């Protein structure tokens, strides 16, 4: 148990294995987002790198298959990890998620592979 809510990066496949198919990328993002509720229910704050990088790309007039994407997706996750307390690595091949795990380990952050392994927060009752 922990008394502090953790900021937990959910990492897994987004573009990997999609061949640039927007429906496949949307399905991958939905899988990442499906892990958000269990992390939140454990008392923590989930975050997904694409929640940051996709609006950045859109504001630059680009998308996830644009050449600019590699200059935004990976750096955004790296910058985000500077603020995170842990990583939840979901299954599936993903160079970006593997890079997130390596960065987290270099920074001494815990890496979880199952939501059940994330310590639950000791929730305080509020009036």
């Amino acid at each position: 148990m922990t008394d502090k809510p953790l900021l937990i990066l959910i990492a897994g496949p987004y573009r990997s294995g999609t061949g640039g198919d927007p429906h496949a990328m949307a399905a991958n993002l939905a899988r990442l987002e499906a892990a958000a509720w269990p992390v939140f229910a454990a008392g923590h704050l989930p975050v997904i790198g694409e929640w940051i990088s996709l609006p950045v790309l859109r504001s630059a007039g680009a998308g996830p298959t644009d050449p600019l994407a590699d200059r935004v997706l990976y750096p955004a996750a790296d910058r985000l990890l500077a603020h995170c307390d842990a990583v939840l690595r979901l299954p599936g091949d993903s160079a970006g998620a593997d890079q997130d795990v390596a960065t987290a380990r270099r920074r001494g952050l815990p890496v979880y592979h199952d939501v059940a392994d994330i310590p639950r927060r000791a929730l305080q009752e509020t009036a």
Side-chain angles (χ1 to χ4, degrees), residues 15 17-25 65:
R15 294 186 304 174
T18 66
D21 175 22
H23 297 293
M25 285 187 280
T65 60

Side-chain angles (χ1 to χ4, degrees), residues 55-118:
V56 170
L57 282 169
R58 280 193 297 272
S59 72
T65 60
D66 241 275
L68 181 62
D70 286 339
R71 293 183 23 224
V72 173
L73 290 168
Y74 299 133
D78 186 65
R79 293 176 194 182
L80 185 56
L81 271 168
H83 300 278
C84 289
D85 301 300
V87 171
L88 172 62
R89 174 59 162 99
L90 299 183
D93 292 336
S94 171
D98 290 345
Q99 186 174 323
D100 294 342
V101 166
T103 299
R105 288 195 171 129
R106 269 194 318 277
R107 293 179 179 168
L109 302 177
V111 175
Y112 302 104
H113 294 274
D114 189 320
V115 173
D117 295 333
I118 296 172

Side-chain angles (χ1 to χ4, degrees), residues 8-69:
I8 299 178
L9 177 69
I10 301 170
Y14 172 61
R15 294 186 304 174
S16 298
T18 66
D21 175 22
H23 297 293
M25 285 187 280
N28 280 346
L29 183 56
R31 245 187 31 179
L32 292 168
E33 291 176 342
W37 171 249
V39 170
F40 188 83
H44 305 294
L45 187 62
V47 66
I48 297 171
E50 285 74 17
W51 290 347
I52 306 296
S53 58
L54 292 176
V56 170
L57 282 169
R58 280 193 297 272
S59 72
T65 60
D66 241 275
L68 181 62

